[in-house]
Amino acid sequence: MCRWFAYISPEEPCLLSDVLLDPANAISKQCSEHYLPLLLPHGEEHELDDSKDALLKMRNSLLNMDGLGVAWYTKAAESYMKGVEGQRPALYKSQSPPISDFNFRNLCGNTETYCLFAHIRATSGSVVTQVNSHPFVFGRHVFMHNGAISDFSKIRRDMTDLFSYDAYCNVLGSTDSEHAAALYITNLTNHGAKGTWEKEYPIDEMMSAMNKTIVQIMELQRKQLGDKAAPNSLNFCVTDGKKMVATRFRNHATQQPPSLYWSEFAGRTLNQKFPGHPDGTDKVNEGATKSTDEKIGKHTIIASEPTTYDDSEWHLISRNCALIVDERGTETEVPLEYDSKLNAVDPNYP
C-alpha cells in the first residue's frame, strides 16, 4: 500500500518542510517507519513489523519506496494567465523515495500553501515510474489513493468505457488509482469536457461523485467476477484547493481498511512559528515566534498516519466512512452508502 498526507485551510498556510520533512513521523520518514495509534496496542504504536495482525501489516505496508508526489495550490498563474482565477495545483513527482530526493527537500524548504497533497508509493503491481506516482491532476482537481482496486486488470477495459473522452485522454499512467481519478472527474462533471475541470463544485456534489465512483468499481467487479470478486481498499482523497473529501473504505463485512486519521489541531504543533513540538512534549521549539496564547487559523489535516505524537490531536476515521471538509473548514464524517451485497470475501482470509 501507500501513505498520504493532506492539509487544507481557508486562512492558515503551512510550510511544506514543517509538515512533510521535519517531524519524526513525517510522511518522508514513513517509507520505512510507522505510527498507528488506535490500531496497534497502546505503547506499541511503532511496532508494525512485530504485529501479529497480518492484515494490518499488509494494508499498512512496511516499505513505501516506489516514488513520491506533491501537489500544492498557488495563485501564481492568476497573475499571468487570462481566465485563471484563484489557486491552481503545482505538481512535483519523482520515482525516488523522499529521503534521497534533493530537489524535493529544497522545494519544501521555501514553499507555503493553503492546500497540499503528498504521497509516497508502494506499488501494487504497476511499473515504478514518475507518471505512476500520485497525486493525479485534472484541472483544478487533485486525487490520490492508498490501497488497491482488486483484480484491476479484469475490469480496466469496462472501467475506461465509463470515462468521458477527455478524462480518458488525461490518464497518462497504468495505475488503478489514476483510473479511479478519471472515473471520479467524469462523475463530478457529468461527463464534461476538459473545461469543466476548472470549475468548482459544491461539497455535496464532490461527495456524491466519490461515493458513485466507489460503487461503480464494485459493480464492475461483481459483473465480471461474480462471487469471486475480492475486497478493495479505497482510501481516496480529492480536493479542488478549497474543499476536500477523503474516504476510508473496504468492502468486506468485518475487515478494517488501511489506516486514516484526521486532525484540526496538529497544524499548530507542526507549524514552527508556534510553541510546541511534533515529536513530543519533552521537546522544545526554540525557534517559535508566536506566543502560547496566540491561535492558529482554522485548518484540517488528513493523513495515513499521525505526524505528531500527541494522540489527543488525532481522530481515526471510522470504517467505511468519508470525511468532508467544506470551504469554511468545517469537518463532517459521513458513512459511505452502498449495497452490502457488494461486500466481497477475501480469498486469503475467508
Side-chain angles (χ1 to χ4, degrees):
M1 302 301 172
C2 310
R3 303 280 86 176
W4 57 253
F5 175 97
Y7 177 98
I8 191 165
S9 172
E11 54 193 23
E12 187 74 45
C14 68
L15 183 67
L16 268 60
S17 58
D18 277 357
V19 297
L20 303 183
L21 294 179
D22 296 341
N25 200 49
I27 191 170
S28 57
K29 318 288 176 52
Q30 292 169 26
C31 290
S32 57
E33 302 293 333
H34 301 284
Y35 177 58
L36 300 173
L38 304 177
L39 289 175
L40 288 171
H42 182 66
E44 301 178 14
E45 293 91 343
H46 293 277
E47 308 303 324
L48 179 60
D49 54 341
D50 295 329
S51 175
K52 296 179 181 179
D53 189 335
L55 292 173
L56 183 67
K57 291 171 68 174
M58 181 174 65
R59 287 190 201 107
N60 300 280
S61 179
L62 293 173
L63 293 175
N64 301 284
M65 304 287 282
D66 298 324
L68 73 95
V70 183
W72 67 99
Y73 281 75
T74 170
K75 288 187 175 182
E78 183 180 57
S79 301
Y80 297 88
M81 299 174 65
K82 184 178 180 180
V84 175
E85 295 182 2
Q87 300 187 102
R88 291 297 188 275
L91 183 65
Y92 176 84
K93 291 189 178 187
S94 171
Q95 63 190 61
S96 302
I99 53 175
S100 59
D101 192 309
F102 174 85
N103 294 324
F104 169 71
R105 301 183 72 85
N106 278 274
L107 181 154
C108 289
N110 199 34
T111 302
E112 70 169 9
T113 185
Y114 290 88
C115 185
L116 167 69
F117 271 16
H119 188 282
I120 55 174
R121 183 171 180 242
T123 179
S124 56
S126 53
V127 65
V128 176
T129 181
Q130 288 183 2
V131 74
N132 278 340
S133 293
H134 308 219
F136 305 104
V137 174
F138 290 76
R140 72 183 304 144
H141 304 270
V142 183
F143 186 103
M144 60 184 174
H145 173 209
N146 173 28
I149 296 176
S150 299
D151 295 301
F152 171 61
S153 62
K154 296 179 181 178
I155 68 165
R156 181 177 180 177
R157 176 65 179 272
D158 287 347
M159 196 170 174
T160 59
D161 286 343
L162 299 176
F163 297 171
S164 67
Y165 176 80
D166 284 345
Y168 178 84
C169 293
N170 200 66
V171 175
L172 304 178
S174 57
T175 64
D176 56 345
S177 306
E178 189 174 15
H179 284 72
L183 185 56
Y184 167 81
I185 200 69
T186 298
N187 291 330
L188 180 66
T189 63
N190 194 25
H191 288 257
K194 195 172 184 178
T196 63
W197 304 349
E198 300 300 332
K199 297 180 180 180
E200 294 181 38
Y201 296 86
I203 189 67
D204 60 332
E205 292 184 20
M206 293 172 65
M207 178 61 201
S208 178
M210 182 69 85
N211 203 137
K212 182 178 180 179
T213 299
I214 290 172
V215 170
Q216 286 174 315
I217 290 168
M218 294 187 292
E219 288 176 340
L220 289 175
Q221 291 167 328
R222 185 66 63 176
K223 175 184 175 182
Q224 287 290 339
L225 302 166
D227 292 339
K228 294 183 179 179
N232 307 280
S233 291
L234 305 178
N235 283 20
F236 292 149
C237 193
V238 68
T239 186
D240 63 0
K242 293 184 178 179
K243 305 177 291 296
M244 193 173 289
V245 177
T247 65
R248 181 171 182 249
F249 182 82
R250 184 166 176 81
N251 59 314
H252 187 280
T254 59
Q255 291 177 359
Q256 286 286 333
S259 61
L260 193 60
Y261 302 82
W262 73 276
S263 176
E264 70 272 52
F265 303 117
R268 190 179 196 276
T269 308
L270 292 165
N271 191 320
Q272 64 179 285
K273 294 186 293 185
F274 291 86
H277 200 287
D279 300 342
T281 55
D282 59 327
K283 306 288 184 179
V284 178
N285 176 13
E286 297 180 350
T289 58
K290 302 286 187 179
S291 69
T292 304
D293 296 333
E294 290 185 84
K295 294 183 178 181
I296 194 170
K298 175 67 176 170
H299 66 277
T300 307
I301 295 173
I302 311 173
S304 299
E305 299 184 21
T307 49
T308 72
Y309 288 144
D310 183 350
D311 293 353
S312 66
E313 292 182 334
W314 296 90
H315 317 274
L316 180 66
I317 296 177
S318 301
R319 175 177 169 270
N320 293 354
C321 285
L323 185 76
I324 59 175
V325 185
D326 66 19
E327 58 270 27
R328 298 178 300 278
T330 301
E331 306 97 351
T332 308
E333 186 178 290
V334 296
L336 289 157
E337 298 179 356
Y338 72 106
D339 190 335
S340 61
K341 293 179 181 178
L342 292 172
N343 279 336
V345 175
D346 190 331
N348 298 310
Y349 300 91

